Amino acid sequence: MSEHPEPYDSPQHRDETAIAGMWLFLASEILLFGGLFLIFVVYSHSHAAGWALGVRHTSLVIGGINTVLLLTSSMVYTLGVEAARNGNARGIIQAGLGAAALGVTFLCLKGWEWHTELGEHLFPGPGFAIGGPQAGGVQLFYSFYFLSTALHGLHMLVGIGLIAWVCLRTYRGRGRLLQVMPVEVVGLYWSFVDLVWILLFPVLYLIGRV
């Protein structure tokens, strides 16, 4: 009987396959968000004045704080990956919980920002708060804004769930040989979520603000 379960020839083959699978998945996600950024390129030029007016109505303070939170969470999770490589189960759990907590804080702030914007009637459609000749461009901006932040928030929820799974898996497996691969795969996903926000932040909060 083979020492290693099919279809893998070795643990290294299994880990390499998992990493390659995550990269393939992220490539498909790039296509999804790439379509959104194509929308940005088209409409931010064809409706530049209205788009810039929409940007000026977003909360730069909340956007900036959330950017710092997400960058910090990625750095914290990197410590967990290093802990996994060193066989440090406690380090994985601490880093994972820290990164997840920062992610939850990000979502809470974004939820508060959405609540404020909805209260100000900035959701596109009947009763939109901003009128005048640039109203169409502003509504296009907020359509992009709500769609892109909702998709990003959904990906963050998935990422937080994956981090929680890694922490639980590590906690239950204490005393046994740690597998680095699951920690690294989740780290790739979390870094992707971070990268998407880094690209969204200037689009939603900076470009056209001045």
Side-chain angles (χ1 to χ4, degrees):
M1 181 179 295
S2 173
E3 181 181 354
H4 306 291
E6 297 294 344
Y8 307 111
D9 298 327
S10 66
Q12 181 181 0
H13 180 212
R14 176 200 60 205
D15 294 352
E16 290 174 350
T17 301
I19 295 292
M22 176 54 74
W23 277 115
L24 183 61
F25 171 75
L26 293 181
S28 69
E29 292 291 283
I30 289 172
L31 293 176
L32 170 63
F33 283 99
L36 283 177
F37 284 108
L38 180 60
I39 293 173
F40 157 73
V41 170
V42 172
Y43 287 113
S44 65
H45 285 80
S46 62
H47 298 78
W51 197 277
L53 182 58
V55 170
R56 290 195 289 273
H57 277 79
T58 58
S59 174
L60 183 59
V61 172
I62 293 179
I65 292 173
N66 268 348
T67 301
V68 173
L69 287 173
L70 204 50
L71 288 172
T72 304
S73 74
S74 286
M75 289 187 289
V76 169
Y77 192 85
T78 299
L79 298 177
V81 174
E82 187 62 28
R85 292 170 179 167
N86 294 327
N88 181 0
R90 183 177 181 181
I92 297 172
I93 295 171
Q94 289 177 338
L97 292 178
L102 290 168
V104 170
T105 304
F106 176 103
L107 289 177
C108 289
L109 283 174
K110 174 50 69 178
W112 174 255
E113 187 178 11
W114 266 35
H115 174 75
T116 302
E117 289 158 345
L118 293 174
E120 295 174 352
H121 304 287
L122 291 175
F123 190 83
F128 189 70
I130 300 175
Q134 305 304 332
V138 181
Q139 289 202 55
L140 282 173
F141 167 79
Y142 270 101
S143 296
F144 174 84
Y145 170 86
F146 282 109
L147 176 60
S148 61
T149 53
L151 278 175
H152 181 260
L154 178 61
H155 281 73
M156 282 203 66
L157 284 173
V158 172
I160 292 169
L162 289 172
I163 292 174
W165 170 76
V166 164
C167 291
L168 181 61
R169 188 176 189 275
T170 302
Y171 179 79
R172 289 177 173 175
R174 289 178 304 173
R176 298 198 296 267
L177 182 64
L178 292 175
Q179 290 187 15
V180 180
M181 179 270 295
V183 184
E184 290 186 338
V185 168
V186 172
L188 283 175
Y189 181 86
W190 195 246
S191 295
F192 171 77
V193 172
D194 188 3
L195 176 61
V196 170
W197 181 256
I198 289 173
L199 295 175
L200 281 176
F201 174 68
V203 169
L204 300 177
Y205 296 92
L206 298 180
I207 297 176
R209 195 171 198 96
V210 179

